[in-house]
Amino acid sequence: MTTTDRLRLGVALEGAGWHPAAWREESSRPTELFTPNYWADLVRRADAAGIDFATIEDSFAVQSGSPFGADDRTDEVRGRLDALLIASRVAPVTRRIGLIPTVTTTHTEPFHISTGIATLDYTSLGRAGWQPKVSPRADEARHFGRRDIPEFTDREDPRLWEIAAELFAEAEDVVEAVRRLWDSWEDDAEIRDVATDRFLDADKLHTVDFERRSFRVRGPSITPRPPQGQPVIAALAHAEIPYRFAAASADVVFVTPQDIAGATAILDEVRRAERDVARTGEPLRVFADLVVFLDADEPASDRLERLDALGRPLSSDARIFAGSAAQLADEIAALGELGYAGVRLRPGVATDDLPRIADDLVPELRRRDLLAGDGGSLRGVLGLPTSVPNRYAPALAG
Amino acid sequence: MSTRARKQIILAAYVGGVNEHTAWEHPDAGSQIAFDTFRQVAQTAERGRFDYFFLAEGLALRERAGRVFEHDIAGRPDTLAVLASLAAVTDHIGLIGTLSSTFNEPYELARQLASLDHLSGGRAGWNVVTSWDAFTGQNFRRGGFLTREERYTRAEEFVRTVQELWDSWAEDAIVADKQSGRFLADDTVGRFSHAGAQFDIEGRFTVPRSPQGRPVLVQAGISPQGRDFAAANSDLIFSPFSRQPEAQEFYADVKSRARSFGRNPDDLKIIPGAGFVLGDSRADAEEKARHILEQQLSDKAVQVQFEQLWNRDLSAYDIDGPLPSIDPDPEAPPIIQGKAFIYQDRFETVRRWRALAEEKGLSIRGVAAEVSARADFIGTPEQVADALDAFIQNDGADGVVLGGHVTPGGIDEFVDKVVPLLQERGSLRTEYTGSTLRENLGLPVPERRGALAATV
Ligand SMILES: Cc1cc2nc3c(=O)[nH]c(=O)nc-3n(C[C@H](O)[C@H](O)[C@H](O)COP(=O)(O)O)c2cc1C
């Protein structure tokens, strides 16, 4: 295998873990979920193990057992902190790991997203990414009171896909506006020319004058182009519309195959979406999401069963893996053979499974020489080009 | 005054963002964007036992007649993201950011500020500004812009709504009992409902009550409306008055407004922005100050300052000549865009500037030097400590927000040389007294308004 064939490993951080009862495990720190040390400890652990990136989930709605609105459960974690701010808080205390917070494209201003992620790129010295996410829930929309999103009760309701299509189209516009704002300063716009009393060269700043369906942004940004030029954009996708969104807008896509056949089919669908949207440049880096429970003193499957019995059993869009680090390494290797760039692991219990990933899985993958090495910036770590042309800069003559 | 205890001076450090006060030409001037710059200033201020680190906001690059300013520093990081990163490299200092009530939504901002309060262990603050200009509005899809009249109406309701959201979780809402399996105290935690002229929103807030309950609220704005808004709502006012007697007048005015709103005036602190220049002797300091001022008052900077007030193209005027005799043109489209307009009354200010020029025989540049000299405290460290202490003890203010002329190292001198002198005279603490920003500022924790959940 060449370095570029090797795999990248990410973790997806969500509260106490992805199992609704994760907070009840002995290791869990439920009263600390809203403290900086909890997050710093988790991300530092992943960083020290050489995990390539951590995503941080977010939503403007309280967590719920229902996909359509808040529930009235009191036996699961409810409440969360802003993901971009968590990522910003851990940036100075980590070294190499990429930091990819979720920020919604439905309610947050593109201008704020652009400066927020650019700033994370500055404070992390080039390790920032962004997971754009649409917010289809009616209760979330009512927190803003600016747009009406209908209340759904049935996943098969055709209106749901109509709304989703609208929100993904808007998401595409939001990402485009953000990307343009990142480019709105040429890299050498700051000239500090004392002789002519010019801090800037105004010719190297650009309005983006972006105007589409639901909004317009003028620009230029107030924040100069971030260190990576274009921080990494990573989208979660399960179906055709989001595949196309990822193909049009993202560098990385997280998908959710259940088995090898499904993994092959999804990869084909992603490549088709790339052709449909006439994607140019780098192909999407496709990562498979897996919820993981790793063996420890107690076999992982027993643990999962025990947690499921505590309240609401875990159900997930992604495959739920429970087993040994060696078995998981086999699955990851198989995904790599198919053409996956790597996996994003969702620890079932953050305080148990993240340490197992760090201490058992990563060494196992290293032993098999499956992991890529260092790469500097997050783009470098993911094998993306680290020099990104600025769309507004005049092409170099000659 | 003699019966009153010595006031403790409140100190804040400011990274001079995008303005002519920061001498980017100076050989020691560093990046305005690199995180190390912010880290260095915040850590130095913390070493000096400063109360808070402060960031201003501008949501559009400044322009003159449609072209981005070239002469000033421009470019700044996102306020909330940089403050959250600073929380990782400091332990005590407050982190206050300026955030517009016009170009944000209450739910999102309440969530970000409460998150920052959690992530900093209770050190967050919000300087509410009421930007209204259509120019800045062009960068935002929602909200557009507001008329001057509407902006405090929105700000009032915005702040009230944010406070309702902060109050939506009780201190003991999280039980997290692993044995019984109860995480939340009840199923209505975080529920809110607000129906007003500006915002009609309801649902559940996602952030548990933060260490300060309510992050510190700051206001910057000087109109009568702005003063009432501050007197009714704020913990601090960031004012532009760093010199007597205007400072004392402003101080007395807003403290009495606070009293008329039924508040203890001591719970509203007045903190103007101020500059300082230190030297080995007064003459040495004044020489340095003169040099800094010359750098700040470049031809372009002066022209822009006058053009903003006159709202006219003044490029034909000699900066070293007399003031324009024509009147301002407030009705024309703004020639200077994106720069906060901090003059109370355009025509009155012009009249004052002309009178000043007449009285002292000043050119345009000379007037600019008189009115924009930010170095309010100039002299040896002893002289600066004396003057600052006297300013505070005589109720010019309760503290100052200090910006060095050189970023990031400009504040070091103050911390090394002036802070110990203030501490010696008992006007500045030697150790942080509390763990939250509110505690360090001596501000009360507002009571949480009765859980809405109980009434719905
Ligand atoms: C000392 C001071 C600092 C200010 N800082 C900012 C700022 O950082 N960002 C901003 O958008 N507006 C800022 N403003 C502008 C105010 O938010 C407000 O728009 C302006 O003062 C007009 O309000 P007023 O009529 O009440 O004075 C500042 C104003 C003052 C007086």
Side-chain angles (χ1 to χ4, degrees):
Chain A
M1 264 190 174
T2 66
T3 323
T4 44
D5 293 336
R6 292 207 186 99
L7 301 174
R8 275 83 180 174
L9 192 61
V11 288
L13 300 180
E14 160 72 302
W18 289 76
H19 197 290
W23 69 274
R24 296 182 65 179
E25 286 295 80
E26 199 178 314
S27 69
S28 205
R29 299 155 63 182
T31 57
E32 294 174 43
L33 293 176
F34 308 98
T35 65
N37 286 345
Y38 174 77
W39 294 97
D41 289 350
L42 287 180
V43 183
R44 270 201 301 241
R45 186 82 194 241
D47 193 27
I51 289 170
D52 296 305
F53 62 89
T55 62
I56 300 165
E57 297 304 310
D58 205 358
S59 162
F60 282 136
V62 284
Q63 301 90 329
S64 175
S66 151
F68 303 113
D71 60 15
D72 53 9
R73 298 190 80 107
T74 55
D75 64 338
E76 296 176 3
V77 169
R78 294 292 179 263
R80 56 165 91 245
L81 302 180
D82 182 272
L84 171 60
L85 297 186
I86 291 175
S88 303
R89 172 61 181 73
V90 302
V93 297
T94 50
R95 293 274 160 263
R96 175 188 174 272
I97 193 166
L99 300 167
I100 310 182
T102 298
V103 185
T104 173
T105 56
T106 309
H107 300 295
T108 299
E109 292 283 353
F111 196 86
H112 291 322
I113 299 174
S114 134
T115 59
I117 302 290
T119 300
L120 177 63
D121 210 35
Y122 279 104
T123 68
S124 67
L125 307 177
R127 293 183 284 128
W130 168 32
Q131 186 176 338
K133 189 176 136 188
V134 302
S135 304
R137 269 168 61 169
D139 58 345
E140 238 171 310
R142 282 197 300 271
H143 293 162
F144 286 79
R146 282 193 176 269
R147 67 202 297 170
D148 275 331
I149 292 181
E151 193 105 40
F152 292 99
T153 49
D154 175 7
R155 267 185 201 279
E156 306 305 318
D157 188 336
R159 286 273 294 137
L160 190 85
W161 274 109
E162 258 171 60
I163 300 282
E166 260 171 52
L167 296 179
F168 275 105
E170 182 184 51
E172 214 175 298
D173 293 342
V174 170
V175 172
E176 177 65 15
V178 168
R179 286 193 180 280
R180 289 193 196 187
L181 286 165
W182 286 337
D183 276 350
S184 65
W185 290 56
E186 292 181 36
D187 288 324
D188 52 358
E190 185 181 316
I191 52 173
R192 293 187 183 238
D193 185 13
V194 176
T196 59
D197 189 23
R198 290 191 310 153
F199 180 81
L200 289 177
D201 179 348
D203 292 335
K204 293 185 171 170
L205 296 177
H206 305 275
T207 57
V208 306
D209 289 322
F210 183 85
E211 186 160 12
R212 297 270 172 88
R213 289 160 276 225
S214 65
F215 66 94
R216 65 159 291 169
V217 176
R218 180 172 181 267
S221 179
I222 51 167
T223 309
R225 195 164 192 246
Q228 294 184 96
Q230 293 278 323
V232 173
I233 295 182
L236 172 67
H238 304 98
E240 189 187 342
I241 292 172
Y243 291 146
R244 290 166 76 114
F245 164 65
S249 302
D251 305 294
V252 167
V253 65
F254 304 127
V255 299
T256 52
Q258 295 295 327
D259 50 33
I260 290 292
T264 308
I266 288 173
L267 209 51
D268 288 345
E269 276 197 75
V270 169
R271 298 301 172 218
R272 184 170 342 117
E274 289 182 325
R275 286 192 299 276
D276 287 350
V277 304
R279 181 182 174 98
T280 55
E282 292 289 314
L284 267 174
R285 304 292 196 267
V286 188
F287 283 72
D289 268 16
L290 295 167
V291 186
V292 299
F293 294 82
L294 286 173
D295 288 343
D297 298 341
E298 186 185 7
S301 50
D302 290 2
R303 188 152 58 93
L304 177 56
E305 216 169 287
R306 188 167 52 71
L307 285 168
D308 276 352
L310 283 175
R312 188 165 56 101
L314 174 66
S315 73
S316 176
D317 53 333
R319 166 166 157 65
I320 299 167
F321 171 91
S324 70
Q327 287 165 333
L328 183 54
D330 289 345
E331 292 205 10
I332 293 171
L335 289 163
E337 292 296 322
L338 293 180
Y340 278 78
V343 291
R344 179 175 73 151
L345 304 177
R346 307 182 188 175
V349 177
T351 44
D352 285 325
D353 293 301
L354 179 62
R356 294 276 68 74
I357 291 168
D359 296 347
D360 300 344
L361 177 69
V362 172
E364 177 65 25
L365 292 170
R366 287 239 167 81
R367 239 185 325 271
R368 302 185 190 194
D369 198 22
L370 284 172
L371 294 183
D374 276 355
S377 67
L378 177 57
R379 292 186 65 91
V381 163
L382 294 175
L384 291 162
T386 51
S387 148
V388 191
N390 185 329
R391 76 197 66 201
Y392 298 109
L396 287 178
Chain B
M1 138 109 238
S2 56
T3 56
R4 198 174 60 178
R6 178 168 282 276
K7 283 204 278 182
Q8 284 290 303
I9 298 174
I10 295 171
L11 291 178
Y14 163 82
V15 165
V18 295
N19 56 52
E20 61 278 9
H21 307 307
T22 310
W24 58 262
E25 304 87 343
H26 196 282
D28 295 340
S31 166
Q32 294 297 123
I33 294 292
F35 182 59
D36 260 344
T37 293
F38 295 88
R39 179 207 305 266
Q40 190 181 327
V41 173
Q43 288 179 340
T44 305
E46 186 164 86
R47 180 159 60 78
R49 305 292 181 262
F50 278 40
D51 290 82
Y52 61 97
F53 174 90
F54 177 75
L55 286 178
E57 179 185 67
L59 294 171
L61 290 185
R62 297 166 172 189
E63 290 182 6
R64 176 189 179 280
R67 188 171 163 86
V68 172
F69 284 13
E70 292 189 310
H71 60 286
D72 284 355
I73 280 175
R76 45 175 128 213
D78 177 75
T79 298
L80 286 160
V82 84
L83 292 180
S85 289
L86 284 174
V89 295
T90 56
D91 294 315
H92 303 284
I93 194 163
L95 301 165
I96 299 187
T98 301
L99 297 154
S100 160
S101 57
T102 303
F103 302 115
N104 288 289
E105 294 301 318
Y107 190 93
E108 184 168 37
L109 203 59
R111 190 169 183 274
Q112 290 166 323
L113 287 161
S115 295
L116 181 63
D117 207 39
H118 279 288
L119 292 168
S120 63
R123 297 189 277 140
W126 170 29
N127 178 31
V128 186
V129 293
T130 57
S131 7
W132 77 88
D133 61 317
F135 172 75
T136 305
Q138 289 175 0
N139 283 331
F140 298 93
R141 61 176 165 184
R142 290 182 238 285
F145 67 95
L146 298 174
T147 62
R148 277 197 79 107
E149 295 69 44
E150 280 172 315
R151 67 206 164 88
Y152 277 109
T153 314
R154 178 172 163 111
E156 283 272 0
E157 195 175 322
F158 196 115
V159 166
R160 206 162 357 106
T161 310
V162 164
Q163 290 172 340
E164 283 164 19
L165 292 165
W166 286 339
D167 285 352
S168 68
W169 286 65
E171 287 82 354
D172 53 3
I174 296 178
V175 181
D177 179 9
K178 290 182 184 180
Q179 289 310 313
S180 70
R182 202 148 71 104
F183 185 82
L184 286 188
D186 65 74
D187 62 7
T188 62
V189 163
R191 193 178 294 179
F192 68 93
S193 172
H194 174 100
Q198 302 289 321
F199 307 105
D200 186 0
I201 60 176
E202 54 149 15
R204 281 175 76 178
F205 190 53
T206 65
V207 187
R209 194 159 184 80
S210 71
Q212 294 187 103
R214 294 188 190 172
V216 169
L217 205 69
V218 189
Q219 186 269 2
I222 50 178
S223 62
Q225 263 181 308
R227 292 177 190 212
D228 275 342
F229 173 81
N233 302 294
S234 308
D235 299 305
L236 309 178
I237 296 182
F238 178 44
S239 91
F241 305 112
S242 53
R243 292 172 178 191
Q244 317 281 37
E246 302 108 85
Q248 279 166 326
E249 283 163 22
F250 181 76
Y251 190 93
D253 178 55
V254 290
K255 294 259 174 172
S256 90
R257 286 178 200 246
R259 206 173 288 115
S260 75
F261 281 104
R263 294 180 65 192
N264 176 351
D266 288 344
D267 296 345
L268 175 62
K269 311 286 188 189
I270 317 302
I271 327 277
F276 64 91
V277 179
L278 299 177
D280 296 333
S281 63
R282 186 183 294 276
D284 176 39
E286 276 171 1
E287 177 53 36
K288 273 199 213 167
R290 195 163 29 249
H291 176 71
I292 291 166
L293 195 61
E294 269 166 28
Q295 287 207 323
Q296 291 168 339
L297 297 179
S298 72
D299 292 2
K300 286 181 206 163
V302 172
Q303 184 190 327
V304 160
Q305 185 180 12
F306 274 68
E307 287 182 338
Q308 188 189 24
L309 188 55
W310 260 263
N311 199 32
R312 283 178 184 279
D313 179 346
L314 301 178
S315 53
Y317 289 80
D318 178 1
I319 297 291
D320 293 307
L323 266 57
S325 55
I326 51 171
D327 281 334
D329 183 5
E331 302 309 322
I335 180 166
I336 304 300
Q337 299 267 36
K339 195 170 149 81
F341 189 82
I342 56 162
Y343 307 104
Q344 290 188 73
D345 178 311
R346 196 186 295 270
F347 287 94
E348 168 59 20
T349 308
V350 167
R351 196 195 58 71
R352 264 195 303 117
W353 286 15
R354 284 193 182 129
L356 189 69
E358 181 109 356
E359 183 196 327
K360 300 199 178 175
L362 299 173
S363 64
I364 289 179
R365 193 192 307 276
V367 170
E370 284 285 318
V371 300
S372 61
R374 272 301 172 98
D376 312 279
F377 300 101
I378 301 174
T380 63
E382 287 77 12
Q383 288 163 343
V384 165
D386 278 341
L388 178 58
D389 202 21
F391 176 64
I392 304 293
Q393 303 307 337
N394 292 318
D395 284 348
D398 295 310
V400 283
V401 182
L402 294 172
H405 297 292
V406 177
T407 298
I411 196 84
D412 292 52
E413 242 192 334
F414 188 92
V415 167
D416 293 336
K417 296 180 179 160
V418 181
V419 159
L421 299 175
L422 294 172
Q423 286 169 330
E424 264 169 37
R425 53 183 79 211
S427 299
L428 186 67
R429 63 171 163 235
T430 51
E431 286 306 329
Y432 285 99
T433 46
S435 73
T436 67
L437 174 57
R438 266 186 195 284
E439 285 166 5
N440 283 320
L441 290 169
L443 291 169
V445 177
E447 212 169 310
R448 174 176 174 259
R449 258 171 301 205
L452 172 91
T455 65
V456 291

